[in-house]
Amino acid sequence: MNFSPDSKFMSLCVRLVALFKINLLWLVCSLPIVTIGASTCAMIACLNAMKQEEDCGARIFFRAFRQHFPKATALWLLIVFLAAMLALDYRIVAYMTFPGRMAVIGVIFFCGFALVLVGGIIFPLLVHYPGTIRDTVVNAVLLSIAHLPKMLLVTAMNILPALLLVVIPQVFFFLSFLFPICGFSLIALYDLTVINKIFAALEEPAD
């Protein structure tokens, strides 16, 4: 095994350590819950720096955290509010009996899925193309529709832990040790790899 600084093995180790640091910073800064949006933007900024082999430590994280805090927090609270409304609607409808009840439940689940779909790109979009909250939301919706296949991959990765918990809890608990180590940063890295392809397509010069 090659342990030289330029070897692929050492490069992998450096990336794993960076992912651990980013994951830890995200967890700590997300503890107040209301700061999850800003923490996610900071994690994205660090992952972008890591992919470009630049410094991706705490300095970059907290700089991005402060920079995106107002808009990211507003977007996060909007997502939480909409999710809470959908959960409340489901709870009300689930205990009622009326014609078309299952259709209403289907609409609620569809709206919830759409919220997760758009939520998967909204924070990378804010980091990559800083703009107003309204523009970010509108562009996130339009990009999610225009690049639906890629965003379905992102959504599948984002809901995978919850699906494992519900469908195969044994696998979830077996893999749960990864989340405090590098699980969240790995998921974000996968999402960012897919979403950056969407951004690259937008930036391609027109023929």
Side-chain angles (χ1 to χ4, degrees):
M1 188 174 293
N2 187 356
F3 291 98
S4 66
D6 298 328
S7 68
K8 291 184 179 180
F9 175 75
M10 291 304 295
S11 177
L12 177 62
C13 289
V14 169
R15 281 180 172 263
L16 288 175
V17 171
L19 286 171
F20 169 74
K21 291 179 180 178
I22 295 169
N23 198 78
L24 180 61
L25 287 168
W26 184 85
L27 284 172
V28 171
C29 293
S30 295
L31 285 178
I33 306 299
V34 73
T35 57
I36 286 179
S39 296
T40 302
C41 285
M43 177 166 62
I44 291 166
C46 286
L47 290 173
N48 277 328
M50 186 189 76
K51 288 168 73 70
Q52 296 171 10
E53 298 184 355
E54 299 174 354
D55 176 37
C56 58
R59 182 174 62 86
I60 301 298
F61 186 95
F62 287 112
R63 185 175 67 187
F65 185 94
R66 291 191 299 269
Q67 176 185 351
H68 297 291
F69 182 84
K71 293 176 183 177
T73 302
L75 288 169
W76 169 246
L77 292 178
L78 175 63
I79 291 172
V80 171
F81 172 77
L82 293 175
M85 290 299 98
L86 289 173
L88 180 61
D89 289 342
Y90 173 77
R91 186 174 180 83
I92 293 172
V93 173
Y95 291 98
M96 296 175 65
T97 302
F98 59 90
R101 171 174 168 271
M102 293 308 299
V104 174
I105 291 176
V107 170
I108 293 173
F109 273 95
F110 174 81
C111 291
F113 181 81
L115 184 62
V116 176
L117 186 80
V118 175
I121 196 173
I122 203 163
F123 295 115
L125 186 63
L126 180 62
V127 173
H128 201 83
Y129 300 105
T132 65
I133 293 174
R134 177 184 177 279
D135 288 344
T136 302
V137 171
V138 171
N139 290 332
V141 172
L142 294 176
L143 286 174
S144 297
I145 296 172
H147 299 271
L148 187 58
K150 287 185 175 65
M151 286 311 302
L152 287 176
L153 293 175
V154 171
T155 303
M157 177 58 72
N158 290 339
I159 66 175
L160 180 60
L163 284 178
L164 287 177
L165 178 61
V166 173
V167 180
I168 319 176
Q170 298 88 343
V171 175
F172 174 84
F173 289 115
F174 177 75
L175 297 175
S176 59
F177 75 94
L178 286 173
F179 290 103
I181 299 174
C182 62
F184 296 105
S185 57
L186 276 173
I187 291 174
L189 181 61
Y190 172 85
D191 290 352
L192 199 57
T193 301
V194 177
I195 291 171
N196 278 344
K197 294 178 181 179
I198 296 176
F199 295 157
L202 293 176
E203 295 165 4
E204 286 179 357
D207 293 335

